[in-house]
Amino acid sequence: NAGVTQTPKFRILKIGQSMTLQCAQDMNHNYMYWYRQDPGMGLKLIYYSVGAGITDKGEVPNGYNVSRSTTEDFPLRLELAAPSQTSVYFCATQLLSEGRNTIYFGEGSWLTVV
Amino acid sequence: GQQVMQIPQYQHVQEGEDFTTYCNSSTTLSNIQWYKQRPGGHPVFLIQLVKSGEVKKQKRLTFQFGEAKKNSSLHITATQTTDVGTYFCAGPDTGANSKLTFGKGITLSVRP
């Protein structure tokens, strides 16, 4: 059971380049999230989705875009990368059912913008 | 919106000492969860508390939900170097079936 799979694990981008962080889950969870975590800091919510076809902005959406065409996949797009986007990115899923709402995190994607 | 607060952000203890940290919410919570993130790792679910005053134990870790369901505590007895990491609390934004808001976390370091 793979759970939450993020790719790539590490990436170096040049300023102004674009890229997509992939996130796939095999748990059939309805909610999916993208967080970023700067060194020594907490988790900041970028975007989230409550189901296929529905996405919403989180706390820090600027510079990012997402889509949720299927239950399984929730890619995060970075357009015109900036040094401020250097961070660790975590994708996460959540099954909201019968009062249990545990979040499962992927292993993270380390992104450096130079 | 709802705020979940964890203060301080960092704490250093000597191995063998006890450690307690608190999580406070600006609103009453239907439940609260705790997560642990090891250095270089990803957050991992530890426990969920639902009932007012609930206490749950996991080996040397004791979790408590406040009577008013607006705060929670994590107590570690006789800390070990394996306890190093960042501990996050999280509560649902509104009802039980809503996305979670995370606290900023407390990073625990343990001196051997």
Side-chain angles (χ1 to χ4, degrees), chain A residues 31 33 35 37 40-45 48 59 90 94 96-108 110, chain B residues 9-10 31 33 35 37 40-45 48 50 86 88 92 95-100 102-105 107:
Chain A
Y31 279 46
Y33 304 87
Y35 292 92
Q37 186 177 37
M41 303 297 284
L43 300 164
K44 292 185 178 179
L45 181 63
Y48 69 101
E59 184 185 353
F90 290 104
Q94 184 181 23
L96 293 180
S97 173
E98 299 176 356
R100 281 196 64 86
N101 54 351
T102 303
I103 287 187
Y104 297 85
F105 287 84
E107 295 189 345
W110 273 254
Chain B
Q9 269 192 278
Y10 304 94
N31 65 80
Q33 301 182 20
Y35 292 75
Q37 182 180 24
H42 59 281
V44 175
F45 172 78
Q48 176 173 292
V50 178
T86 301
F88 295 97
N97 287 339
S98 66
K99 67 178 180 65
L100 297 180
F102 281 84
K104 292 189 184 299
T107 299

Side-chain angles (χ1 to χ4, degrees), chain A residues 101, chain B residues 2 29-32 90-101:
Chain A
N101 54 351
Chain B
Q2 185 210 134
L29 299 170
S30 57
N31 65 80
I32 195 159
D93 277 358
T94 51
N97 287 339
S98 66
K99 67 178 180 65
L100 297 180
T101 293

Side-chain angles (χ1 to χ4, degrees), chain A residues 44-81:
Chain A
K44 292 185 178 179
L45 181 63
I46 306 172
Y47 271 95
Y48 69 101
S49 168
V50 302
I54 305 169
T55 61
D56 272 301
K57 294 179 181 179
E59 184 185 353
V60 289
N62 292 342
Y64 307 95
N65 274 301
V66 293
S67 60
R68 183 98 183 269
S69 55
T70 66
T71 299
E72 293 78 19
D73 299 300
F74 191 42
L76 177 71
R77 178 83 178 160
L78 281 74
E79 303 282 2
L80 299 174

Side-chain angles (χ1 to χ4, degrees), chain B residues 14-87:
Chain B
Q14 185 72 39
E15 188 173 22
E17 288 182 346
D18 290 356
F19 163 76
T20 303
T21 190
Y22 300 92
C23 173
N24 297 296
S25 170
S26 57
T27 60
T28 301
L29 299 170
S30 57
N31 65 80
I32 195 159
Q33 301 182 20
W34 286 89
Y35 292 75
K36 178 181 179 181
Q37 182 180 24
R38 294 183 187 276
H42 59 281
V44 175
F45 172 78
L46 291 177
I47 209 154
Q48 176 173 292
L49 304 169
V50 178
K51 299 176 183 176
S52 169
E54 186 173 13
V55 177
K56 287 188 177 180
K57 293 189 176 184
Q58 288 181 350
K59 297 183 181 178
R60 294 178 295 101
L61 275 62
T62 302
F63 303 85
Q64 184 164 7
F65 204 5
E67 294 291 340
K69 302 182 77 174
K70 293 184 73 174
N71 55 69
S72 178
S73 65
L74 159 60
H75 178 82
I76 303 178
T77 303
T79 54
Q80 299 177 359
T81 54
T82 53
D83 296 323
V84 163
T86 301
Y87 294 85

Side-chain angles (χ1 to χ4, degrees), chain A residues 87-98:
Chain A
S87 191
V88 181
Y89 291 83
F90 290 104
C91 178
T93 71
Q94 184 181 23
L95 176 65
L96 293 180
S97 173
E98 299 176 356

